Amino acid sequence: MSHHTTLATARVMLKTHKYASEQINTLNPDTMKTRPIVSGCNSPFHKILWFVCHILSPLMNLVPSHLKNTHDFLQRIRNNTPNDLKSLTFFTADVEALYTNINVLTAIEDVMEFAKENRQSISTYGLHLSDLQELLETTLLP
């Protein structure tokens, strides 16, 4: 019986937006700014993490600062009066190494604490929250 699973794959993507267009052809490979890309599609953990994400995703609706996408942002802006918008400050930020600076264990603990506080907002399909925490730790920790 085939389960159609594969190992995760990794590649590196050049951060072209960090360079002027005339610089790209003359870059030294040793100094290029890159972004690691890991694809876990069809890996053994893919379906487990999909399920955990499906369970925990409703919690995002409880985070006031969470923006789903650009459309969500624009809708929120449109819900403000011009006077309300005058008192707001908008900015963008480029955070260096955002995800690599997150302590994964602490993040899992924070998510699980938030899930416990808002237990009525999620369906665990018969699993205990401790089961979800174990799944997260098993799949996300080195």
Side-chain angles (χ1 to χ4, degrees):
M1 182 166 125
S2 175
H3 295 283
H4 305 290
T5 58
T6 60
L7 293 176
T9 58
R11 62 186 168 92
V12 178
M13 181 179 281
L14 179 63
K15 291 185 176 184
T16 56
H17 66 284
K18 299 285 184 178
Y19 304 100
S21 58
E22 60 273 0
Q23 285 181 297
I24 292 181
N25 292 331
T26 61
L27 288 173
N28 177 343
D30 295 331
T31 60
M32 288 182 184
K33 294 181 185 198
T34 60
R35 173 181 294 116
I37 307 291
V38 177
S39 173
C41 293
N42 295 322
S43 72
F45 292 136
H46 183 243
K47 288 182 178 148
I48 294 170
L49 288 171
W50 177 90
F51 182 58
V52 172
C53 186
H54 178 75
I55 291 170
L56 296 175
S57 288
L59 294 173
M60 294 307 296
N61 296 326
L62 304 174
V63 179
S65 60
H66 175 67
L67 295 168
K68 295 175 193 163
N69 52 35
T70 302
H71 176 75
D72 185 32
F73 171 73
L74 293 173
Q75 189 61 43
R76 289 187 193 195
I77 293 296
R78 288 182 187 118
N79 289 339
N80 287 284
T81 66
N83 258 358
D84 291 338
L85 292 173
K86 286 180 185 175
S87 65
L88 299 176
T89 302
F90 297 93
F91 65 93
T92 63
D94 186 10
V95 179
E96 187 162 322
L98 173 64
Y99 295 110
T100 56
N101 285 318
I102 294 174
N103 180 303
V104 177
L105 183 57
T106 302
I108 291 171
E109 290 168 353
D110 290 345
V111 166
M112 296 315 302
E113 182 179 331
F114 193 60
K116 286 174 190 159
E117 292 168 3
N118 297 282
R119 178 66 182 84
Q120 72 286 354
S121 298
I122 58 175
S123 172
T124 60
Y125 301 95
L127 295 174
H128 296 281
L129 289 180
S130 60
D131 298 327
L132 290 175
Q133 181 165 352
E134 187 174 344
L135 287 171
L136 286 170
E137 290 173 356
T138 300
T139 54
L140 299 177
L141 290 175

